[in-house]
Amino acid sequence: MLIFSIETSCDETASAILKFKSDSSFEVLANQISSQIKLHAKWGGIVPNLAAREHSKNILPVIKTTFKEANLKPKDIDIFGVTAGPGLIPALLIGANVTKTIAYFHQKPLIKINHIEGHIYSNFINKNNKGNLNQYNFPILNLVISGGHTQLILMKNHLKYKIIGETQDDAVGEAFDKVAKMLGFEYPGGPIISKLANEAENLIKKSQINSKFLKIKFPRPMINSDNLNFSFSGLKTSVLYFYQKLLEKKITESELILWKKFIAKAFQDAVIDVLKNKTLKTIKIHQPKTVLLSGGVSANNKILEILEKELKTKHPEIIFNSPRKSLCGDNAVMIGIAGIAHYLYSKNNPTFQINWKNLEADSGLKLKDLN
Ligand code: KG4
Ligand code: ZN
């Protein structure tokens, strides 16, 4: 069977084609992404109407290239899948309407996918572009860290999502983006903050650093709270106050660059401590057999390194995985895999929405709305 999928919830226009079998194995035949990052960078964040304009400009060329890559035609596709939410409504509408139209024209089933479950399912693909939906044991604990979400989601089975913890304010990626903006960098801020933090670590290794740079420490909000929720807005504000005070002093340009590296490291360390503690706490309570990291922020090397190390030493019995770098951010392969899971595991469910008439883009789509 062949599934064609589309993702347009934010600033990437993406489509993919996957081939799958009833034994839950699958393979990627085509994967195309057109990114708008450069366009939004100068605005300091995503501008929804600009995103929609770009999606409508890019979507047909992206679809055309996807079919060319797979050497297939739309009539060859058995099922269509599209991100229906959450995300920016003007952006979601483009992908939803284009996919609806193709599915209607070819009279084929259309599956509604939640963007977050897409991120979760990005973990099911292996290095050889193949995967199997049965490769992990349940319960699976998902730590989803993206620009819009920070959630701990427990899955007792495929498509059975229970949100057991989430941010009360900013998402992790949003905090990275805001801190980068404060320090004078463009959107998206995650990659630049992690690069600066790495540079700070390298300087520490060379031990050529004045101890004043090592004293920066930011708060770890809610780290010891008795629930599994997060908060990152206070941390971001602490960085702002620290930086504003620093600017009041007379410091040279080269010293300021150094300060920025150590601020980035101190901020990232605080984020990692919180993510690590909450994940360990969740493991203690819910005893998952598998832990999967996902979302755009999972591209952060240091977060991955620390979580991996922590789990290996404290819970060697747990399988830990994170998506390969190119699938950490938004893409349509993850939407295709989630679509396969819906097709194989919930097609007998009477509420399973498989008709284009039932599909509406919904900026606030909840995981529980799917089952
Ligand atoms: O999943 P994603 O592509 O879009 C959403 O669904 O939100 O995540 C984008 C987020 C942005 O906030 C971006 O700054 C962050 O992922 N990000 C990173 C890194 N790479 C991307 N954050 C920290 N470190 C990174 N290396
Ligand atoms: Zn995303």
Side-chain angles (χ1 to χ4, degrees), residues 8-22:
T8 63
S9 68
C10 194
D11 57 346
E12 324 280 353
T13 317
S15 69
I17 299 174
L18 285 87
K19 185 173 158 183
F20 67 98
K21 294 193 196 138
S22 53

Side-chain angles (χ1 to χ4, degrees), residues 115 119 146-148 173-174 176-177 187-191 194 295-297 299-300 328-330:
H115 183 76
H119 276 303
S146 72
E174 192 179 353
F176 269 91
D177 294 338
Y187 175 87
S194 81
V297 186
N300 184 295
C328 287
D330 295 344

Side-chain angles (χ1 to χ4, degrees), residues 1 19-27 132-133 340 344:
M1 299 269 282
K19 185 173 158 183
F20 67 98
K21 294 193 196 138
S22 53
D23 68 356
S24 302
S25 65
F26 59 86
E27 183 181 350
N132 194 302
L133 289 174
I340 297 171
L344 293 178

Side-chain angles (χ1 to χ4, degrees), residues 22 211 276 354 357 359:
S22 53
S211 64
K276 184 182 79 185
I354 200 160
K357 283 183 195 157
L359 192 134

